[in-house]
Amino acid sequence: MQQWVAEVAYDTPSGPKKVTESFYMPSADDVRNAIAKNGGYPLMIRPHERSPLERLLARSTWWQVQLLRGIQFRSTSTSPGVALWRIIQAETNPMRQNILAPAREALARGLGAIDALRALRIFDHGTIAILAASEKANKLQEGIPHAIHSITQKRKNTRAIAGTMSWLGIDVLMIVQSLFWGKGMVLNWFRGNAPSDPAELENYLRIVDNLELTWDVLIGIATASGVFLVWTVFSFWINRGKTDWPTARIVRKIPLIGAYLRDLGFADSMMAAARMLRGLVPINDALAQSSEATTVPEVADYWRGASKELERGVLLGAALDRKPLNRSERLELASLSDLAQVATVLESVAEMRSASAKTKHALIVWIAFGLTGVFLAIAFGSAIYALTVMNMSLDSMMGGLMQGAI
């Protein structure tokens, strides 16, 4: 499903009239057929593309929270789909109207509130999973506060990491800038004022070459790390809503960060599964929906594998007793004997994974501090070492002047 923008010509008593309409359909051929049914003639059909400002607003967590709160307040007296429709109809800002257009088209075609929110492509998979699980349990209004809490908590984590990385990045940037602009001048001065004694000259030039190599390595590491960090942030921002892409696969291969993302994926999907089971959603539907609650392929494969085992007649506890869960989690799931216990155990696992993710989050921040400290120590140490080299050159010059005076 995708939003399309089409220029359509209609025959009117006053002559042909050209209008621009939006459609939310699988393909351009479906749009063309819909226009023909309405008696129009398609002039141009293109996929809808948001402007950079619209993307920034759509992915603002503040606006996401306001949209969910609006649905929550209005759904007290009507269905969530009607509540969302009324929000869209009451919107007067053209930019927000354009952002909400896919949801309006989805609702107009008879799809539900969750399908309409998914069409917006502004919420992450964890948030959509919480909302979808609540809707399947017929408790969407109760699930919205949990979704809002998830959004705000992830915003806090993102701000904490972004603030730490920005602060450390500024420190590294200042040091690297000093090395980059001062390296040539300092090294040229060293080579232009080398000792005249052949025995000292060889050792002096070797030290200067090592110093140049150290600075080049520091500048190269900082530049490569900065480019990778900027590209990663941009890639995750521009691909938000997708399940997998090359940059995400690279990031998941980083040991600690990959484990952190896996913990978040299990926490979101386990909580969504527990919420659906408490709402008496059929177990097969709950497992299938849980596999869509995360962007981590390893977590999604876990739920799909459990669903296949369940279809083969394996008991639920044994089907859920799978890798990559750890030993304690698997023992807890394997001991299940009553279906009523499943939701409680899944909530317990979700809480443990959430706590583990918080620990890894703090560890990532401290490791970043440590690596930056090592980098700065090497940079400052090399600068102090450069002063030693300068003293060697000055001592040699003073020795030559003294010999000339004698």
Side-chain angles (χ1 to χ4, degrees), residues 127-273:
T127 304
I128 289 293
I130 295 173
L131 296 172
S134 301
E135 185 194 39
K136 283 184 175 293
N138 294 321
K139 297 179 180 179
L140 180 57
Q141 187 179 5
E142 298 178 9
I144 288 177
H146 295 281
I148 292 175
H149 175 74
S150 175
I151 292 173
T152 53
Q153 187 62 41
K154 290 177 181 178
R155 178 175 59 188
K156 290 179 182 179
N157 293 341
T158 302
R159 286 181 176 177
I161 292 180
T164 302
M165 294 303 176
S166 299
W167 180 43
L168 298 177
I170 291 174
D171 289 343
V172 173
L173 179 63
M174 297 299 293
I175 297 298
V176 171
Q177 187 178 14
S178 301
L179 291 175
F180 183 80
W181 294 108
K183 183 187 72 170
M185 180 180 64
V186 174
L187 293 177
N188 289 336
W189 189 91
F190 285 163
R191 290 192 172 98
N193 296 275
S196 56
D197 186 1
E200 295 181 358
L201 179 62
E202 181 179 358
N203 183 48
Y204 178 85
L205 292 178
R206 180 176 57 81
I207 293 174
V208 172
D209 290 339
N210 290 338
L211 186 62
E212 182 179 14
L213 178 62
T214 301
W215 286 350
D216 287 340
V217 170
L218 290 176
I219 293 172
I221 292 174
T223 302
S225 301
V227 170
F228 176 75
L229 182 61
V230 172
W231 168 251
T232 301
V233 172
F234 175 77
S235 179
F236 270 80
W237 183 80
I238 202 69
N239 291 291
R240 187 171 183 176
K242 294 184 179 180
T243 56
D244 197 21
W245 65 97
T247 307
R249 289 193 289 269
I250 294 173
V251 171
R252 286 196 300 268
K253 290 181 180 179
I254 303 175
L256 187 58
I257 296 179
Y260 169 70
L261 295 175
R262 186 167 57 249
D263 285 344
L264 287 180
F266 269 118
D268 289 338
S269 58
M270 288 281 184
M271 189 59 71

Side-chain angles (χ1 to χ4, degrees), residues 15-331:
K17 180 181 179 181
K18 185 174 72 171
V19 297
T20 301
E21 297 180 352
S22 61
F23 299 86
Y24 186 67
M25 292 185 172
S27 66
D29 291 335
D30 295 319
V31 176
R32 195 171 290 107
N33 293 334
I35 293 173
K37 289 181 180 178
N38 294 332
Y41 303 92
L43 302 178
M44 183 273 295
I45 301 174
R46 63 174 176 82
H48 169 71
E49 295 181 359
R50 290 175 180 159
S51 66
L53 188 59
E54 287 177 357
R55 292 182 182 181
L56 184 62
L57 176 61
R59 292 171 182 176
S60 166
T61 55
W62 176 85
W63 192 69
Q64 293 175 16
V65 169
Q66 297 304 312
L67 179 60
L68 291 179
R69 283 177 178 167
I71 296 174
Q72 181 185 9
F73 295 151
R74 287 172 172 81
S75 60
T76 55
S77 58
T78 185
S79 67
V82 174
L84 178 57
W85 178 265
R86 290 177 178 175
I87 292 174
I88 297 172
Q89 293 297 103
E91 184 59 62
T92 58
N93 186 293
M95 184 178 297
R96 291 181 180 175
Q97 287 178 342
N98 200 25
I99 295 172
L100 293 171
R104 179 176 59 81
E105 295 296 327
L107 292 173
R109 296 183 64 248
L111 300 178
I114 299 302
D115 293 321
L117 292 176
R118 189 179 283 113
L120 293 175
R121 294 185 295 120
I122 63 176
F123 297 101
D124 59 33
H125 281 70
T127 304
I128 289 293
I130 295 173
L131 296 172
S134 301
E135 185 194 39
K136 283 184 175 293
N138 294 321
K139 297 179 180 179
L140 180 57
Q141 187 179 5
E142 298 178 9
I144 288 177
H146 295 281
I148 292 175
H149 175 74
S150 175
I151 292 173
T152 53
Q153 187 62 41
K154 290 177 181 178
R155 178 175 59 188
K156 290 179 182 179
N157 293 341
T158 302
R159 286 181 176 177
I161 292 180
T164 302
M165 294 303 176
S166 299
W167 180 43
L168 298 177
I170 291 174
D171 289 343
V172 173
L173 179 63
M174 297 299 293
I175 297 298
V176 171
Q177 187 178 14
S178 301
L179 291 175
F180 183 80
W181 294 108
K183 183 187 72 170
M185 180 180 64
V186 174
L187 293 177
N188 289 336
W189 189 91
F190 285 163
R191 290 192 172 98
N193 296 275
S196 56
D197 186 1
E200 295 181 358
L201 179 62
E202 181 179 358
N203 183 48
Y204 178 85
L205 292 178
R206 180 176 57 81
I207 293 174
V208 172
D209 290 339
N210 290 338
L211 186 62
E212 182 179 14
L213 178 62
T214 301
W215 286 350
D216 287 340
V217 170
L218 290 176
I219 293 172
I221 292 174
T223 302
S225 301
V227 170
F228 176 75
L229 182 61
V230 172
W231 168 251
T232 301
V233 172
F234 175 77
S235 179
F236 270 80
W237 183 80
I238 202 69
N239 291 291
R240 187 171 183 176
K242 294 184 179 180
T243 56
D244 197 21
W245 65 97
T247 307
R249 289 193 289 269
I250 294 173
V251 171
R252 286 196 300 268
K253 290 181 180 179
I254 303 175
L256 187 58
I257 296 179
Y260 169 70
L261 295 175
R262 186 167 57 249
D263 285 344
L264 287 180
F266 269 118
D268 289 338
S269 58
M270 288 281 184
M271 189 59 71
R275 185 174 297 278
M276 283 185 283
L277 292 178
R278 288 197 183 279
L280 303 180
V281 175
I283 186 63
N284 289 332
D285 294 340
L287 295 180
Q289 184 66 41
S290 298
S291 67
E292 300 176 2
T294 176
T295 58
V296 182
E298 193 174 3
V299 179
D301 290 341
Y302 165 83
W303 292 107
R304 284 193 287 265
S307 180
K308 289 180 181 178
E309 289 293 313
L310 199 64
E311 291 175 356
R312 291 175 52 239
V314 178
L315 295 177
L316 179 59
L320 295 174
D321 178 16
R322 304 170 55 83
K323 292 183 179 180
L325 295 182
N326 57 43
R327 181 176 176 81
S328 62
E329 293 168 344
R330 295 182 64 179
L331 287 174

Side-chain angles (χ1 to χ4, degrees), residues 196 200 392-406:
S196 56
E200 295 181 358
M392 292 174 56
S393 176
L394 293 176
D395 290 344
S396 176
M397 293 173 60
M398 292 300 295
L401 291 175
M402 293 296 294
Q403 289 178 1
I406 294 174

